[in-house]
Amino acid sequence: MKVTDLLNELIGIKGLVNQVGLNSSHDDWANMLAQHGFRPIGQGYHAQVYDNPKLDYVVKIFTRIDTGYLYWTRVCLGPLKGNPYVPVFRGKPVKLNDEASAARLEKLSAPTLNQQKLAYKIQLLLTTARREKRNWMDDPVVETMDDDLIRAIKYIQYGVEKYRFMLDVRPANIMDRNGQLVITDPLA
């Protein structure tokens, strides 16, 4: 999908990306998208998520240096597609310019306290196993997890080991889908 096709689908106009130049900030993107009904609903160091009440999905604009997120989108769209612990994407990420890309994702809710605790357990499980140089699968807490969650964690851990991404499973990077924990951005 071309950038103009994505933006046409989102807001029905062309050429918006030209209004936002290279080295643009979150504020530059927010100002441009606000003119068309989008509002920022979440922000990280390399990304910002926008909502438009007329659409049934959100748009995440992220920088090219966020290779951990690009890896995670590929995993979610590939081997983990259909896994309840990962977000549902609308198509593949689209390059907006040399520095930014956009992804469309299902709308989700803030995580519950129990989901936040589970995210903390996952982060602690993986960091402790790494620090102690042992297999995280040998930890007794894994026995309390279902196969889908274990599979998602395996891909997170693979990203940490293979690509040296930083583990970032925390409340800001998880969401809720009708009581289901969704891991949205576990790598930095």
Side-chain angles (χ1 to χ4, degrees):
M1 178 177 277
K2 294 180 184 175
V3 174
T4 53
D5 293 339
L6 171 69
L7 291 174
N8 282 338
E9 179 183 330
L10 295 177
I11 51 184
I13 61 174
K14 294 182 178 181
L16 288 180
V17 174
N18 294 334
Q19 297 176 22
V20 183
L22 297 179
N23 299 315
S24 54
S25 69
H26 291 304
D27 290 340
D28 296 330
W29 284 103
N31 291 335
M32 184 270 292
L33 289 169
Q35 297 171 26
H36 304 283
F38 287 88
R39 62 184 175 88
I41 58 170
Q43 180 175 323
Y45 190 70
H46 297 292
Q48 190 157 2
V49 179
Y50 299 90
D51 180 41
N52 184 322
K54 295 178 182 176
L55 302 173
D56 65 350
Y57 54 86
V58 297
V59 175
K60 180 170 183 171
I61 296 180
F62 59 99
T63 65
R64 68 180 164 93
I65 59 176
D66 194 354
T67 54
Y69 185 70
L70 193 54
Y71 162 81
W72 187 241
T73 62
R74 288 181 185 140
V75 168
C76 291
L77 287 165
L80 289 181
K81 187 173 185 172
N83 185 307
Y85 290 95
V86 303
V88 175
F89 286 82
R90 290 264 186 108
K92 295 178 181 178
V94 175
K95 185 176 176 181
L96 298 175
N97 61 31
D98 286 342
E99 293 190 7
S101 294
R104 296 171 296 156
L105 307 112
E106 67 180 310
K107 286 188 179 183
L108 298 164
S109 303
T112 66
L113 182 57
N114 284 340
Q115 291 165 342
Q116 292 176 36
K117 288 178 182 179
L118 180 53
Y120 176 74
K121 271 189 200 178
I122 294 167
Q123 178 83 19
L124 185 62
L125 167 70
L126 295 177
T127 55
T128 301
R130 185 171 189 170
R131 184 181 65 245
E132 295 176 359
K133 295 181 174 58
R134 61 179 174 79
N135 186 339
W136 65 272
M137 290 287 295
D138 295 335
D139 195 291
V141 76
V142 174
E143 294 175 14
T144 66
M145 298 176 178
D146 65 41
D147 291 343
D148 287 326
L149 179 56
I150 292 169
R151 190 161 186 247
I153 294 170
K154 284 180 179 180
Y155 279 97
I156 294 168
Q157 182 62 16
Y158 181 79
V160 170
E161 290 177 4
K162 169 106 175 155
Y163 301 108
R164 303 283 186 224
F165 298 132
M166 185 178 79
L167 185 63
D168 199 17
V169 183
R170 57 189 172 96
N173 293 330
I174 64 167
M175 298 292 288
D176 171 79
R177 178 196 306 117
N178 301 319
Q180 171 66 55
L181 168 71
V182 179
I183 304 168
T184 57
D185 192 2
L187 302 164

